[in-house]
Amino acid sequence: MNWLAFVLALWIVGGVDWGLRASLELQESGVAPSLIVVYVTFVCLYVEARWAWLVGVIGGLVIDLLRDVGTGSDETVVVVGPAAIGGLLAASFVVNVRGLVYRKNVATIAVLSTVSGVLVHLTAAFALFLRSVYDVVEAPAGQLPVALGSALYTGVAGVVLGVVLLAFRRMFGFAADTQTGFRME
């Protein structure tokens, strides 16, 4: 895998995610797609398992750094870790099911992005709930429907971003095409 291409594309996808989040939000409900989850899902479909887990953690860290969490007062803080753990779980999920799916299909990216989004958002919500017990971070009790809606919206965004990512797949230098064994592509 070309790590320079990975970091550059993550920077671009993270910037687009951060910049268009308010525009893509559904009627100020908080439901918005996570383009970073789609990108991490795409990369995890092709890299080795040990690198997929690292990609999941890095993607989760970027999500954590781009999201503000409210406190009891009017302040917001950045909490590093909840989405990173969710990214690790999502990467593990993609690694476990990628042998069962057709990797070069946009529908595959969309469906796996939806499940990955559920894992990332639910893990982050649970971790923030646990942290709210002993810290000033607000409990995300009302955020569960928003997290699930965002995961579904991430799958829809996965269709559009999946077409773009599949078009630029060769740029990443994935070694998936050199594996042995029977593969139908």
Side-chain angles (χ1 to χ4, degrees):
M1 182 174 133
N2 184 350
W3 284 98
L4 181 62
F6 166 73
V7 170
L8 182 63
L10 181 62
W11 181 63
I12 291 169
V13 170
V16 170
D17 186 27
W18 184 63
L20 293 181
R21 186 162 184 83
S23 299
L24 295 175
E25 187 176 340
L26 294 179
Q27 299 177 353
E28 298 185 16
S29 63
V31 175
S34 177
L35 303 178
I36 298 170
V37 170
V38 177
Y39 177 64
V40 166
T41 302
F42 168 76
V43 173
C44 288
L45 277 172
Y46 291 99
V47 298
E48 296 177 30
R50 61 184 172 154
W51 300 120
W53 297 324
L54 181 64
V55 165
V57 170
I58 291 171
L61 285 173
V62 172
I63 292 171
D64 281 333
L65 292 174
L66 294 178
R67 305 290 187 260
D68 293 334
V69 178
T71 61
S73 61
D74 290 337
E75 298 176 359
T76 60
V77 295
V78 174
V79 179
V80 176
I85 297 169
L88 179 64
L89 289 175
S92 296
F93 167 74
V94 173
V95 166
N96 284 324
V97 300
R98 68 183 176 185
L100 305 173
V101 297
Y102 183 61
R103 296 179 189 188
K104 296 180 183 176
N105 192 347
V106 175
T108 300
I109 295 171
V111 170
L112 292 181
S113 295
T114 301
V115 177
S116 295
V118 168
L119 289 171
V120 169
H121 293 303
L122 286 182
T123 304
F126 182 69
L128 289 173
F129 171 75
L130 289 178
R131 183 163 178 164
S132 70
V133 172
Y134 66 89
D135 201 2
V136 296
V137 175
E138 287 180 348
Q143 295 296 320
L144 193 58
V146 173
L148 294 176
S150 294
L152 289 174
Y153 198 4
T154 297
V156 173
V159 173
V160 177
L161 189 57
V163 170
V164 174
L165 290 171
L166 285 173
F168 290 103
R169 184 171 88 73
R170 299 278 182 212
M171 178 184 74
F172 294 102
F174 296 128
D177 297 329
T178 62
Q179 294 176 350
T180 59
F182 176 77
R183 294 193 50 193
M184 179 192 250
E185 293 189 355

